[in-house]
Amino acid sequence: MIKPQQIILLLFFICLALFSCSNKTDFEIKNDKIRSLIKIGSDSINAQTYFPDKDVRNYLHGEFDDFYKEREYNLAWLNFEEPEKQADELLEALDNAAENGLKPENYDTKEIEELLSSIYNIESQKLRRKKWRRKLIKTKKFKEKMREEDTVRFKDIAQLDFLLTASYLTYSSHLLSGRIDPNEKEEWFAPRRKKDLSEHLAKAIKQNEIKESLKELEPSHKQYALLRDYLVYLRQALGNDIPEIGQPLQANDQGYEVVKAKKRLALWKNTDINLEDSTVYDKSTTEAVKRFQTINGLEPTGEIDQKTLALLNMPLFYWIDKIETNMERMRWLQQDFGDQYILVNIPAYELKVMRKNKAELSMKVIVGTNYKKTPVFSDTLEYVVFNPTWTVPTEIAIEEMLPRIKKEKDYLESRNLQLYDGWSINSEQLKQKDVDWDDIDSTNWTFRIVEAPGPTNSLGRIKFMMPNSQFIYLHDTPAHHLFYRKERTFSHGCIRVEKPLELAEYVLDWDRKKINKYIDSEKTQNVILDEEIPVHIVYWSAWVDENGLINFREDIYHHDQTHQEKIRLKEKIIAYAE
């Protein structure tokens, strides 16, 4: 691959020949040369050099070229004697990228620093950049040097301006819509946010609001800001090197293992642990362990059992990665969930009805197995079905029911399942004995199986419909004993709710008497909501709850692992390109 420096150097010699004979002033000649370099170097083909991340290139399309075209190919961040204030602000923002779970080195900060020092003879590292204007050497010798038609300097100025623009556009695209595209997998449907970033940058430069413009691109969700605060807190604790706890512990234990346990618990906010008598597993230790277990979705026993021990011994970078991964997911969400919505968090096995950032109703849920994952998406709850039927998906009918139909002569009738010879309205209803099942397999299956309404129906007595292409909905279940399980991945993808009656009361604004009347009728009836309610099915393995406590959950679908691997791969590609 041709390096950016080689492209710019070649373009400079072309421009030098074009402007060798002119009646223009010295400044105009130099400015025209720079503009020519920028015009040629910023076209869509040459601009690719500054965006090693293919996804960023695809996202931005021609925004790099558009940005310079709109400003008639003038320098954006620099002039011939010193960098503009906006360059200082951008680099300060990039220095703090870690607060947003992003890495400054992914935005060419090292190369930008080196070019700044080379071109302007200034020290520009971090806090010292604030003193740029004082660091500039304003001697006569330096000014004369600046006036020289220095081939390398012209090339470096254009190169540096391009790098600053590319760094802004790349960083802003990451803040706006994330580093990776989750939609590559079928169980994730995220309409990533979009914006004309070249126009956004132009406005920011004109108004001298680089930092503010980047802040505007961050997700507006309260969760994002809360996670960022906790991320900063954990990063500040990275210097605390605490040995791992060597064994399970319980109340009244004493010794150095208790000391280590207390120190590890003290790393977490709101543990309120007493470190004065650090060798004794006292009451404050028991309470701190309970809080740690609660925020990790464990049974709050107050004892450091094997599972609690494993989590306490996890290095801080494990938790940092988890928070950063979930901050990335926030960038894939719609800008605002609204004042009222239903939130289903898959790893937490939980549904909350939210209104003005407060949970008005909470309940457990059962989600899809690892083989039939519940997808991540947003939609709108439109109507409720009382005494629903269940049309069995073809895949389930073939894979799970067909083998049993072949073995059990009364399989369908004994389970209140109705058989039809096709999927049209006029399809004929059949008896199980009417079909020679020995000849039926996945290649010639044309049947439709429908489970009739009733107390044993797989969907229970109520179904909550949000029509979508994934055929996912919320529903009751006759198997309520499964809600007592800690891990609840039992469904084929749809979401079973623990409190269907309470949820129906809320979304329909009905009382229990009216709800029961519809159920007792035994009739299948659809009731349209007076006002549709947004539903957001998310995969948050780290979040901050209403009490300000950080929460973590097990990565049940391995989405954390997958997304972290994709991010690391992208970082390797960027590092290799540099």
Side-chain angles (χ1 to χ4, degrees):
M1 179 183 287
I2 300 176
K3 294 184 177 180
Q5 295 92 331
Q6 295 172 322
I7 295 174
I8 297 294
L9 193 59
L10 176 62
L11 297 174
F12 172 80
F13 285 114
I14 295 172
C15 295
L16 189 64
L18 292 173
F19 292 99
S20 57
C21 299
S22 174
N23 292 324
K24 296 181 178 180
T25 65
D26 182 57
F27 173 81
E28 288 173 332
I29 291 172
K30 288 194 289 186
N31 196 50
D32 285 345
K33 288 176 182 177
I34 287 289
R35 289 176 62 202
S36 297
L37 285 170
I38 290 173
K39 184 175 182 179
I40 301 171
S42 64
D43 70 32
S44 57
I45 296 176
N46 292 325
Q48 292 184 20
T49 312
Y50 299 95
F51 300 98
D53 185 340
K54 181 182 176 183
D55 288 339
V56 172
R57 288 203 304 270
N58 292 339
Y59 178 84
L60 293 173
H61 295 293
E63 292 190 32
F64 186 83
D65 186 28
D66 291 344
F67 170 71
Y68 280 105
K69 190 182 294 182
E70 285 297 316
R71 55 187 298 107
E72 298 181 344
Y73 304 103
N74 284 299
L75 291 168
W77 307 90
L78 314 166
N79 61 47
F80 292 109
E81 293 192 357
E82 63 181 4
E84 301 288 358
K85 177 186 175 183
Q86 291 93 328
D88 186 13
E89 286 199 2
L90 173 60
L91 286 167
E92 283 190 17
L94 294 178
D95 283 341
N96 295 320
E99 294 180 3
N100 283 297
L102 303 171
K103 293 183 178 178
E105 57 267 31
N106 290 337
Y107 306 104
D108 292 316
T109 50
K110 183 179 179 182
E111 189 173 357
I112 289 171
E113 297 280 6
E114 290 173 352
L115 279 170
L116 277 168
S117 181
S118 170
I119 297 170
Y120 298 106
N121 198 15
I122 57 177
E123 296 181 5
S124 58
Q125 289 290 344
K126 295 185 178 178
L127 292 176
R128 284 177 287 174
R129 277 204 305 273
K130 293 181 178 180
K131 301 177 182 178
W132 270 356
R133 275 104 195 125
R134 292 199 293 270
K135 288 285 183 181
L136 284 170
I137 303 170
K138 297 294 187 178
T139 63
K140 182 178 178 182
K141 182 179 179 181
F142 177 75
K143 288 182 178 180
E144 288 175 355
K145 183 182 178 181
M146 293 300 99
R147 295 191 190 101
E148 293 177 3
E149 293 188 359
D150 186 340
T151 301
V152 175
R153 189 163 180 273
F154 270 74
K155 177 265 295 184
D156 285 349
I157 287 175
Q159 167 80 356
L160 178 54
D161 210 79
F162 286 158
L163 282 173
L164 287 163
T165 300
S167 294
Y168 180 96
L169 291 175
T170 301
Y171 184 51
S172 61
S173 73
H174 287 169
L175 286 175
L176 181 69
S177 57
R179 290 163 288 179
I180 58 175
D181 184 0
N183 298 306
E184 294 172 356
K185 299 191 77 173
E186 289 183 3
E187 60 263 19
W188 212 290
F189 302 87
R192 300 169 79 190
R193 296 182 296 151
K194 292 187 177 182
K195 190 180 185 72
D196 187 333
L197 293 176
S198 65
E199 183 180 316
H200 191 71
L201 172 56
K203 181 181 177 182
I205 287 179
K206 184 178 180 180
Q207 297 179 351
N208 290 323
E209 293 181 344
I210 294 298
K211 286 183 182 177
E212 293 85 350
S213 71
L214 291 168
K215 190 76 177 172
E216 287 175 15
L217 299 175
E218 294 176 11
S220 61
H221 295 282
K222 187 179 180 182
Q223 273 299 320
Y224 184 84
L226 292 170
L227 285 177
R228 181 178 55 203
D229 290 345
Y230 217 98
L231 175 64
V232 172
Y233 170 80
L234 285 183
R235 283 193 171 279
Q236 290 171 346
L238 279 173
N240 297 311
D241 188 16
I242 303 172
E244 290 188 3
I245 309 162
Q247 65 186 53
L249 298 166
Q250 59 185 358
N252 301 319
D253 282 349
Q254 298 184 33
Y256 185 53
E257 296 302 322
V258 176
V259 175
K260 291 189 288 186
K262 284 191 168 188
K263 286 183 177 179
R264 283 187 168 266
L265 286 165
L267 290 173
W268 299 93
K269 287 183 181 180
N270 308 113
T271 50
D272 301 325
I273 191 166
N274 179 18
L275 294 174
E276 290 181 7
D277 192 359
S278 59
T279 62
V280 179
Y281 199 119
D282 55 12
K283 185 177 180 181
S284 77
T285 308
T286 299
E287 293 304 314
V289 170
K290 284 182 178 180
R291 280 188 286 272
F292 181 79
Q293 290 169 326
T294 299
I295 68 173
N296 281 284
L298 303 177
E299 194 68 35
T301 63
E303 296 182 358
I304 300 178
D305 53 20
Q306 288 291 352
K307 196 156 190 176
T308 306
L309 178 67
L311 287 173
L312 271 174
N313 279 334
M314 284 292 185
L316 280 180
F317 273 116
Y318 167 81
W319 307 104
I320 286 171
D321 283 348
K322 210 168 183 69
I323 291 174
E324 289 181 347
T325 304
N326 283 275
M327 288 175 71
E328 173 79 358
R329 289 174 186 145
M330 300 290 169
R331 301 181 188 113
W332 306 336
L333 296 173
Q334 298 174 19
Q335 187 70 7
D336 189 6
F337 281 174
D339 285 340
Q340 184 186 38
Y341 55 90
I342 294 172
L343 182 72
V344 178
N345 187 4
I346 296 169
Y349 306 112
E350 186 176 49
L351 179 151
K352 290 184 177 181
V353 179
M354 303 296 294
R355 188 176 183 85
K356 297 187 183 300
N357 293 320
K358 291 185 179 180
E360 296 201 325
L361 182 63
S362 298
M363 66 190 72
K364 298 174 183 178
V365 298
I366 292 169
V367 298
T369 66
N370 246 304
Y371 300 100
K372 303 286 185 182
K373 297 181 178 71
T374 297
V376 175
F377 69 102
S378 294
D379 217 294
T380 305
L381 184 64
E382 297 182 8
Y383 63 97
V384 174
V385 182
F386 290 97
N387 299 308
T389 60
W390 179 45
T391 300
V392 181
T394 300
E395 187 178 5
I396 295 175
I398 294 172
E399 292 181 3
E400 299 181 22
M401 292 185 173
L402 181 57
R404 299 192 65 179
I405 290 172
K406 290 183 176 183
K407 290 180 181 178
E408 303 173 33
K409 293 182 179 180
D410 64 343
Y411 177 83
L412 296 176
E413 285 81 359
S414 65
R415 288 166 177 79
N416 209 19
L417 295 170
Q418 301 165 348
L419 179 68
Y420 296 87
D421 65 359
W423 288 78
S424 69
I425 297 175
N426 300 321
S427 297
E428 182 183 352
Q429 186 171 349
L430 305 172
K431 296 287 187 182
Q432 183 174 333
K433 63 181 181 180
D434 295 337
V435 180
D436 184 356
W437 294 105
D438 291 335
D439 295 333
I440 303 300
D441 57 27
S442 60
T443 63
N444 58 7
W445 178 276
T446 59
F447 305 101
R448 171 166 52 101
I449 296 176
V450 178
E451 185 176 17
T456 61
N457 184 282
S458 299
L459 306 185
R461 291 293 198 170
I462 309 176
K463 179 170 67 168
F464 303 85
M465 293 300 294
M466 42 184 187
N468 57 81
S469 58
Q470 291 81 51
F471 304 104
I472 299 298
Y473 44 84
L474 314 175
H475 65 88
D476 181 19
T477 174
H480 275 262
H481 64 279
L482 294 176
F483 287 110
Y484 292 103
R485 301 279 191 92
K486 202 70 179 173
E487 298 175 357
R488 298 187 291 276
T489 51
F490 303 115
S491 83
H492 289 90
C494 287
I495 298 157
R496 306 176 197 172
V497 298
E498 179 192 22
K499 303 174 183 177
L501 298 177
E502 289 90 334
L503 185 58
E505 284 178 321
Y506 187 94
V507 301
L508 293 172
D509 194 22
W510 288 3
D511 58 25
R512 184 65 61 88
K513 184 178 180 180
K514 188 171 183 179
I515 297 285
N516 287 334
K517 182 180 177 181
Y518 269 72
I519 291 173
D520 293 343
S521 73
E522 299 289 337
K523 297 178 182 178
T524 300
Q525 300 180 74
N526 296 350
V527 180
I528 298 173
L529 271 62
D530 290 336
E531 188 174 342
E532 296 178 353
I533 302 176
V535 179
H536 303 287
I537 302 172
V538 300
Y539 192 92
W540 292 350
S541 57
W543 76 96
V544 177
D545 64 22
E546 294 86 357
N547 299 314
L549 297 175
I550 188 73
N551 280 258
F552 298 100
R553 291 296 183 271
E554 187 179 348
D555 182 20
I556 59 175
Y557 289 165
H558 308 294
H559 286 327
D560 286 1
Q561 180 182 339
T562 300
H563 292 156
Q564 287 167 8
E565 286 174 355
K566 284 185 176 182
I567 289 169
R568 283 193 286 269
L569 176 61
K570 183 150 291 188
E571 288 171 347
K572 285 182 181 178
I573 292 171
I574 292 171
Y576 178 77
E578 293 175 353

